[in-house]
Amino acid sequence: MHRVRVVTYNVRYFGHGTRGLASTGKAMERIAEALSSLDPLADIICLQEVETTSLRSNLAHPTVDGQTQLQRLMKMLHAALERAGKRDAYEAYYFPAHTYRFSATPIYTTGLAVIAHRDFHVSHHNAGQPHDITYRHIHPVKRLKQTRICAHLRVKHERGTDLDIFNTHLSLPTTLSREFWLEPRRLGWGPNQVEEAKNLVEFVTREKRSDRFVVVGDFNALPGSPVYRTLLQNGLTDAFALQSGMDELALSDFHTAGFMNMRMHLDHVFTGGELRWLDFSGTHRFGQKDGLFRDLSDHTPIVGTFALGDDS
């Protein structure tokens, strides 16, 4: 049996100190230090809200030799690991989602990243063409709707067991729906979100090779919402809920994100039936005073460990 530790984390473009308006080197360095401080280290790190290169990503953190945001993070992560005396190394994959331009200049970009420990061989990924799960039919100007994607990596551990990793970030609920104005909780009730959840499930079902898979990300959906229940009804299991024994009400009170005075549980780890989850010991509530990732983003990561191998 081999233990695999997975992290899902919305890093908000490494610009928490500027409220997401501009990325900063200090924010990126602090996140790299936190990831390098995990004990044990993560095997798979799935990030949401990562840029390539744009005015927003370079304004307060100028690029060196044209490096992308992810390349800068990896340089900082490996430096932090070296300072900690850890000889681990990772490979990073970027999945572009959307670019907002003024003429030919990218104002800001959106995307996902998956970082895999060198113990894993990546046999397949869709970084060159991430799967589009966006539901555009409600948006008044369809070409302006921000693209939402699902990143996919298939990895094989050095011991020979394979695993499918899916990373995603669903849209916010559209304001052009009845649910947005009548449902007070809103997040996860948008009909556009439900359609994206269906598109996500269809893609996962088609691409996974076995029930050894995880689907993680920022779903912008609360436990118990139509989005959440759509995923559960289509063969996914909430690994954090299963391992912690929390029901939907308790999950809603375990906050993973915050905006102003609002606190929400928006980040999830869903799984297939062949993985046995062992713990989520690296996970802490948003805003927890002694939390390793406190004040680094408007989200806090979910950190979970499962067994991979014959006994999983």
Side-chain angles (χ1 to χ4, degrees):
M1 179 188 76
H2 181 74
R3 292 171 179 255
V4 177
R5 204 172 201 201
V6 174
V7 173
T8 177
Y9 190 17
N10 183 328
V11 294
R12 201 192 189 192
Y13 308 112
F14 307 99
H16 185 55
T18 65
R19 298 187 181 276
L21 296 177
S23 305
T24 68
K26 184 63 176 178
M28 184 178 290
E29 187 173 28
R30 290 179 66 200
I31 287 175
E33 287 283 354
L35 290 171
S36 72
S37 298
L38 287 172
D39 185 22
L41 290 170
D43 297 285
I44 303 290
I45 303 169
C46 296
L47 304 179
Q48 302 87 43
E49 297 203 60
V50 180
E51 286 223 51
T52 50
T53 300
S54 71
L55 290 179
R56 178 174 66 178
S57 69
N58 295 335
L59 180 65
H61 186 194
T63 183
V64 177
D65 298 329
Q67 286 184 333
T68 65
Q69 197 171 68
L70 184 58
Q71 287 171 330
R72 283 178 274 180
L73 172 67
M74 295 309 297
K75 184 177 181 180
M76 291 183 180
L77 176 58
H78 284 132
L81 289 169
E82 185 175 351
R83 286 194 298 272
K86 300 176 181 179
R87 302 179 64 182
D88 299 77
Y90 292 87
E91 292 285 349
Y93 299 82
Y94 183 75
F95 303 79
H98 203 95
T99 301
Y100 289 91
R101 297 180 180 275
F102 179 77
S103 185
T105 304
I107 305 300
Y108 71 91
T109 60
T110 66
L112 308 171
V114 180
I115 301 170
H117 195 277
R118 291 275 176 84
D119 283 349
F120 286 93
H121 167 69
V122 177
S123 61
H124 167 79
H125 65 80
N126 66 349
Q129 192 172 2
H131 185 69
D132 190 339
I133 62 170
T134 320
Y135 186 74
R136 296 180 173 84
H137 300 289
I138 299 176
H139 200 278
V141 184
K142 295 180 176 57
R143 66 183 178 83
L144 297 181
K145 174 71 180 79
Q146 187 179 112
T147 301
R148 300 292 177 164
I149 61 172
C150 181
H152 177 212
L153 255 73
R154 182 173 299 118
V155 299
K156 186 182 292 290
H157 190 261
E158 59 184 9
R159 297 185 181 184
T161 309
D162 61 356
L163 172 72
D164 284 295
I165 308 290
F166 299 92
N167 181 19
T168 195
H169 185 190
L170 268 60
S171 295
L172 289 164
T174 177
T175 58
L176 302 175
S177 70
R178 180 174 178 271
E179 291 81 359
F180 183 85
W181 300 105
L182 297 182
E183 168 52 57
R185 289 168 289 182
R186 293 180 180 171
L187 292 165
W189 271 262
N192 61 314
Q193 294 182 291
V194 174
E195 293 302 321
E196 288 182 358
K198 292 177 181 177
N199 292 341
L200 173 64
V201 168
E202 181 182 344
F203 177 66
V204 170
T205 302
R206 184 173 72 246
E207 294 297 316
K208 67 182 179 69
R209 277 194 173 172
S210 69
D211 274 348
R212 293 188 299 274
F213 70 89
V214 292
V215 184
V216 304
D218 176 0
F219 291 81
N220 277 315
L222 298 169
S225 65
V227 165
Y228 183 84
R229 291 184 177 174
T230 294
L231 296 170
L232 296 186
Q233 290 164 4
N234 282 276
L236 303 187
T237 298
D238 184 336
F240 182 67
L242 179 66
Q243 204 280 331
S244 67
M246 294 186 188
D247 60 16
E248 291 176 354
L249 182 60
L251 284 173
S252 295
D253 287 336
F254 191 100
H255 305 133
T256 67
F259 175 72
M260 299 181 71
N261 292 326
M262 295 183 291
R263 299 291 181 266
M264 303 149 287
H265 187 116
L266 304 179
D267 306 86
H268 303 284
V269 174
F270 296 100
T271 184
E274 287 190 34
L275 299 180
R276 180 168 60 87
W277 290 80
L278 304 173
D279 65 68
F280 283 85
S281 60
T283 304
H284 63 78
R285 297 172 187 267
F286 180 83
Q288 185 174 315
K289 290 184 178 180
D290 61 348
L292 176 62
F293 293 88
R294 185 172 184 262
D295 291 337
L296 301 187
S297 172
D298 59 349
H299 290 248
T300 193
I302 296 181
V303 184
T305 302
F306 60 85
L308 183 66
D310 294 339
D311 298 325
S312 63

